[in-house]
Amino acid sequence: MQNAKTENELRENLEKVCRKIESAARKANRKADEIKLVAVGKTHPAEVLREAIAVGASVLGENKVQEAEEKINKIGREKAEWHLIGHLQSNKARKAVELFDVIQSLDSVKLAKRLERICVEENRESLSVLVQVDLANEKTKSGVLRKDLPEIIDFLQTCERLKFDGLMIIPPFFEDAEKVRPYFKQLKKLRDELLQKDVFANKIGELSMGMSNDFEIAVEEGATIVRIGTAIFGARKWG
Ligand SMILES: *Cc1c(COP(=O)(O)O)cnc(C)c1O
């Protein structure tokens, strides 16, 4: 009964994460139902993801198109809401449009142009995107630098198919999760400034921030989407 055991573990982990989200939300005077949990299944096989769906995970995140394709084909495109959370290479853009409900990792005008064009070509009515922001000037990471944000946001205003629905951040890693709090605060401030300019298609401006190590802090600081892998699926062997 290997599977049953895994299913129980997944259920417990998922419940634990949900309880932590609830208490962090309460602490910040927020409602837990404003926060969407993305279960990040990268490196874990389709069978495990299927079990996660069975015990209540309804939104799944993947960071590589090819890996996601294999798993989505096995599980079924309609069985969950699928989010791309990793850098998207332009030669995988068409595949990504086919596979994902939300692209959280939009990081260049060039990619936005390509996605908009592909949506037209493929008759994809609308595609929700978040712009990945790099607030730490980490040259090694993807993400739009603060100074380059106006250009991509202006472009997104002209798109018919791409829906600019919010911001995403992968802050620098710190052992001490408290050290990421300033990045979460900055991202929320930026989102609030953009709300004033009415640039979001959904009128809300999602804040995708917080991973296994720091999601409670992210929720306290206003996250509307948290992306959680390890705390649900356990440690990754690779990736
Ligand atoms: C892997 C990954 C996560 C989940 O990380 P955990 O620390 O395992 O929760 C979240 N966001 C992105 C962009 C990732 O690549």
Side-chain angles (χ1 to χ4, degrees):
M1 290 295 284
Q2 182 64 38
N3 284 349
K5 180 169 167 285
T6 314
E7 234 181 71
N8 273 335
E9 280 170 1
L10 284 174
R11 181 181 284 114
E12 278 170 28
N13 289 347
L14 207 54
E15 278 171 5
K16 210 181 287 174
V17 166
C18 288
R19 276 199 303 275
K20 286 181 176 176
I21 290 173
E22 274 162 30
S23 69
R26 206 173 313 120
K27 200 170 153 189
N29 257 316
R30 304 183 56 207
K31 294 200 197 82
D33 64 9
E34 337 170 329
I35 298 144
K36 179 178 270 189
L37 171 58
V38 178
V40 177
K42 66 188 188 203
T43 78
H44 299 285
E47 301 78 69
V48 172
L49 269 57
R50 211 181 266 130
E51 284 162 12
I53 293 169
V55 298
S58 56
V59 189
L60 292 183
E62 289 289 335
N63 70 333
K64 294 200 177 86
V65 174
Q66 206 171 336
E67 183 187 338
E69 181 183 18
E70 214 182 290
K71 293 194 263 186
I72 294 172
N73 284 341
K74 280 188 189 160
I75 295 166
R77 175 75 177 77
E78 71 298 337
K79 291 286 195 298
E81 184 177 304
W82 299 94
H83 289 221
L84 180 66
I85 59 172
H87 173 66
L88 177 56
Q89 291 169 279
S90 53
N91 62 343
K92 306 258 171 70
R94 192 172 303 271
K95 206 37 125 186
V97 167
E98 184 187 308
L99 293 170
F100 291 98
D101 297 288
V102 180
I103 292 180
Q104 293 204 11
S105 45
L106 181 62
D107 59 5
S108 73
V109 174
K110 192 165 159 252
L111 180 60
K113 282 184 179 156
R114 196 179 182 98
L115 289 170
E116 173 75 9
R117 198 186 68 229
I118 290 170
C119 283
V120 172
E121 288 168 3
E122 303 289 332
N123 281 320
R124 170 95 182 237
E125 201 61 26
S126 71
L127 175 62
S128 176
V129 297
L130 309 184
V131 169
Q132 184 180 342
V133 182
D134 175 2
L135 292 176
N137 281 307
E138 290 183 284
K139 302 264 161 13
T140 52
K141 271 194 198 156
S142 44
V144 179
L145 296 174
R146 212 189 167 101
K147 69 172 173 56
D148 298 327
L149 275 175
E151 188 193 359
I152 189 162
I153 291 170
D154 285 348
F155 176 72
L156 289 170
Q157 304 308 302
T158 70
C159 291
E160 279 176 20
R161 308 296 173 106
L162 299 191
K163 303 297 171 202
F164 177 37
D165 284 337
L167 305 173
M168 185 270 247
I169 191 170
I170 308 173
F173 178 79
F174 296 103
E175 276 306 327
D176 175 8
E178 270 301 324
K179 294 212 168 93
V180 300
R181 194 185 288 274
Y183 291 99
F184 296 156
K185 278 188 195 295
Q186 276 182 58
L187 195 72
K188 170 154 191 306
K189 187 159 170 279
L190 183 59
R191 193 278 314 266
D192 291 346
E193 286 164 15
L194 292 173
L195 269 178
Q196 298 293 318
K197 296 184 180 151
D198 194 26
V199 294
F200 295 113
N202 59 2
K203 307 289 173 200
I204 304 164
E206 305 281 1
L207 278 175
S208 174
M209 54 190 200
M211 319 196 336
S212 292
N213 260 335
D214 53 23
F215 68 91
E216 289 159 283
I217 297 172
V219 168
E220 286 170 28
E221 297 300 335
T224 64
I225 300 175
V226 292
R227 310 176 308 263
I228 300 182
T230 313
I232 296 172
F233 295 104
R236 287 179 290 273
K237 291 191 188 71
W238 44 273

